[in-house]
Amino acid sequence: MSDATAKSAAPLDEVMLAMDVVDTLRHQQDLVTRELDGVAREKQLIDRLRNVYHQQGIEVPDHILKEGVAALAESRFAYEPPAPGLGTSLARLYVGRKRWGRPLVAGLVALAVLGVGYFGIWQPYQRGQAEQARIELTEALPAQMDALYQTIYDETKVQQAVVQADGLLARGKAQAAEGNRAGAEDAIARLTALRDLLRRQYSLRVVNRPDVQSGFWTFPEINTDATNYYLVVEALDPDGKSLSLPILNEENGQTETVTMWGVRVPETVYNAVAADKLDDGIIQGNLVGRKSDGFLDVEYLMPVMGGAVTQW
């Protein structure tokens, strides 16, 4: 190391030594309280400090010892915490930003994502759903009811269908206006069923197959002295396909969808069909009635008693 370098480093070494002297004085309070009590005893304090460093194998110049004693008296190397205040709090927050910065940024990002998702996606979606439901109730469903009603009005051949459609239309639109979606959809379902019933075409024929009986008789539970006679019938569409129809069972009051059921007929009709089958095993007169397009009910071609059963 050159002389110039040694000279430039000397002041820093002296400052470090002075700081060490102050630190020694702070840790050995008996030196300060008893010896640092007036200028007259400064020499004794310096002697003690010199002795302390000498015991440690360190030789400290007197001017450094004096500088350290003076620095302690002036609190030159003492740390004084800054006074509390907004600036101090902000400074401490800034210094500790690595500790709280990342969690804060992560929290802000999460809040931003939630905010965008809620306000930018969820709320618009909810508003869209509500608006779509409102449009359906106030426009789409009533328009569907009107279309069904008009079809029924145009295709029916009986006034009874128009009367039924009028009632269903009025009730359905009232439900829609009240915001009752289920009620409005029920009215549409009933109008649809009425339209389909008008369009349905089939012939009602006595079943004439070896594996199925063509008729039977029973004693009604409410009057065991009477006898009810039934012909087993099925509904065949224009292509000869058997249809499933809802039939009200007069014995239990329940409606069941079946492909075959018993139609109650007078005893004379029952005996005539039985004799027809016994003649050659084939019922020539097996047409009981017809359901034509535009009508609600079957047009019966033989006398019937107006009742039916689905089980026998």
Side-chain angles (χ1 to χ4, degrees):
M1 181 182 295
S2 65
D3 293 341
T5 304
K7 288 179 180 179
S8 62
L12 179 59
D13 292 340
E14 291 181 358
V15 171
M16 296 297 293
L17 281 171
M19 292 176 63
D20 188 72
V21 170
V22 173
D23 188 60
T24 301
L25 290 170
R26 288 200 185 100
H27 286 83
Q28 298 192 30
Q29 292 295 320
D30 58 335
L31 293 176
V32 178
T33 57
R34 291 183 300 175
E35 302 299 337
L36 193 55
D37 187 12
V39 179
R41 297 184 182 180
E42 181 178 344
K43 184 178 182 303
Q44 295 178 6
L45 177 58
I46 291 174
D47 291 341
R48 286 177 177 272
L49 286 171
R50 187 186 299 110
N51 184 47
V52 169
Y53 282 103
H54 182 72
Q55 291 176 358
Q56 298 176 11
I58 302 173
E59 296 297 333
V60 181
D62 287 351
H63 72 278
I64 297 297
L65 296 174
K66 290 180 180 181
E67 182 69 20
V69 172
L72 179 63
E74 297 171 2
S75 299
R76 193 182 307 168
F77 298 114
Y79 170 74
E80 294 183 5
L86 178 60
T88 303
S89 300
L90 292 176
R92 287 175 177 168
L93 283 174
Y94 179 76
V95 171
R97 62 188 181 280
K98 289 187 177 180
R99 177 172 51 82
W100 55 261
R102 289 184 179 178
L104 177 62
V105 171
L108 291 176
V109 170
L111 287 175
V113 171
L114 289 175
V116 171
Y118 181 76
F119 294 104
I121 299 176
W122 177 249
Q123 280 196 341
Y125 171 77
Q126 289 291 89
R127 288 194 295 268
Q129 292 291 321
E131 179 63 14
Q132 182 179 355
R134 185 194 66 81
I135 292 174
E136 287 186 357
L137 274 174
T138 58
E139 299 178 19
L141 296 183
Q144 190 174 353
M145 297 177 200
D146 287 334
L148 286 167
Y149 175 83
Q150 190 61 45
T151 300
I152 293 170
Y153 184 87
D154 294 340
E155 296 183 5
T156 186
K157 295 180 176 66
V158 290
Q159 185 64 24
Q160 181 185 0
V162 176
V163 173
Q164 292 183 22
D166 280 333
L168 292 172
L169 179 64
R171 185 162 62 253
K173 285 192 172 182
Q175 299 282 9
E178 295 172 0
N180 187 344
R181 184 185 184 89
E185 291 178 340
D186 180 69
I188 289 175
R190 292 177 181 272
L191 284 167
T192 302
L194 181 59
R195 179 205 62 189
D196 294 344
L197 176 59
L198 286 172
R199 290 177 173 178
R200 188 175 294 142
Q201 301 180 64
Y202 59 84
S203 60
L204 195 63
R205 295 182 178 273
V206 179
V207 177
N208 188 21
R209 294 195 293 272
D211 58 330
V212 180
Q213 63 187 107
S214 300
F216 60 92
W217 51 267
T218 64
F219 298 114
E221 294 183 0
I222 59 175
N223 184 8
T224 56
D225 292 334
T227 303
N228 290 339
Y229 296 90
Y230 296 92
L231 295 178
V232 179
V233 299
E234 60 183 346
L236 303 177
D237 66 11
D239 296 326
K241 180 181 178 181
S242 179
L243 302 177
S244 296
L245 298 179
I247 303 299
L248 175 63
N249 190 329
E250 65 177 354
E251 292 184 344
N252 57 23
Q254 296 181 356
T255 299
E256 300 178 49
T257 300
V258 294
T259 56
M260 292 186 295
W261 64 96
V263 174
R264 184 152 56 93
V265 296
E267 182 180 3
T268 54
V269 173
Y270 178 86
N271 291 333
V273 172
D276 189 0
K277 187 173 184 178
L278 288 173
D279 181 32
D280 56 4
I282 300 175
I283 303 174
Q284 278 78 19
N286 68 343
L287 182 60
V288 178
R290 290 191 182 92
K291 165 63 177 69
S292 302
D293 179 46
F295 292 87
L296 295 175
D297 301 317
V298 174
E299 179 186 6
Y300 288 99
L301 302 179
M302 62 175 60
V304 296
M305 304 294 290
V309 294
T310 55
Q311 299 176 10
W312 55 89

